[in-house]
Amino acid sequence: MVKVPTKLVTWDEIVEWSMGLAEVIKSSGFRPDVVVAVSRGGYIPARLVCDFMLVDNLISIQSQHWTEAAKVAEKALIKYPYKVDLSGQRALLVDDIVDTGDTLILARDFILSEWKPKELKIAALQWISPVAKIKPDFYYIEVKDWMWFQYPWTRHEDTVQFIKRALSEEGKSKKVWSFEEIRNVFIEYYGIDVGEVYFKLALKSLVDLGFLKEEGGKYFIKV
Ligand code: ADP
């Protein structure tokens, strides 16, 4: 039984979705002078939207509260509250997904009060409509049932967190694991397969982090 509904998103899908999002924006008639990527998830979509809309100006803002993949958030904050003068400019704030909407609301309010653009619109590849506190001006996919989208730019980070979470739970009754057993429990929990390269890299990181110990091809849960 899958415990966390997860979809593995490919690079090709990201290009397709970003191109689709750019088309939605274009057909509205909105032409941004500057794109603001919401760091970190909005970086790649924002860069692609700039490409598909032929926009030269790209800056970013780091609004964050998700510390671990697919975990309930604490509090959102603007990490580096620097000042940029956007007066007279039409700005487009771009993120990967609007989940709760908390980080986007914070970024939007900060930009409106501190950077003062003439106009500010919000675009996201995906919008989880039943849980989001805001609806972006532009989106490409409306998600009706919450799930974790495993984007290609967080594949390693998510794999590390996912293994850690599954093993922390399963590790209460089982301390010694083989590579195949960990891989199977991962697929059982999340319903996706990130492939051997990412899987091995994540296990290596978990050994480096001191969460696992490897000996003779077996993994021991240390904490
Ligand atoms: P917002 O909805 O304003 O983006 P959230 O706090 O809900 O704010 O999400 C912040 C970031 O966390 C997202 O931009 C995305 O990078 C990541 N994230 C949140 N929910 C998901 C999800 N369901 N799948 C993948 N990534 C997510």
Side-chain angles (χ1 to χ4, degrees), residues 5 7 9 38-42 63-71 73 76 94-107 124 126 128 131-134 143 146-151 153-154 158:
K7 175 182 161 44
V9 181
V38 182
S39 175
R40 297 176 293 164
S63 179
Q64 209 182 37
H65 74 190
W66 286 81
T67 45
E68 283 180 25
K71 261 208 159 176
V94 178
D95 210 347
D96 47 4
I97 189 164
V98 187
D99 188 323
T100 64
D102 287 338
T103 61
L104 260 178
I105 291 169
L106 191 76
Q126 297 180 283
I128 312 186
V131 297
K133 293 177 191 130
I134 50 162
V143 178
W146 188 93
M147 65 175 74
W148 185 258
F149 291 90
Q150 205 304 289
Y151 296 121
W153 51 82
T154 52
D158 283 358

Side-chain angles (χ1 to χ4, degrees), residues 189-213:
Y189 265 58
Y190 306 103
I192 59 166
D193 188 354
V194 293
E196 198 159 313
V197 171
Y198 274 101
F199 211 76
K200 285 194 168 149
L201 194 68
L203 287 175
K204 200 166 169 288
S205 287
L206 285 165
V207 170
D208 290 345
L209 290 166
F211 177 78
L212 291 176
K213 190 176 80 174

Side-chain angles (χ1 to χ4, degrees), residues 116-129:
K116 298 185 171 50
K118 180 166 78 183
E119 204 178 350
L120 179 69
K121 293 209 180 275
I122 295 175
L125 298 180
Q126 297 180 283
W127 168 48
I128 312 186
S129 54

Side-chain angles (χ1 to χ4, degrees), residues 15-30:
V15 174
E16 188 192 317
W17 298 356
S18 302
M19 197 183 282
L21 179 63
E23 287 306 317
V24 171
I25 302 164
K26 278 189 228 169
S27 60
S28 78
F30 183 68

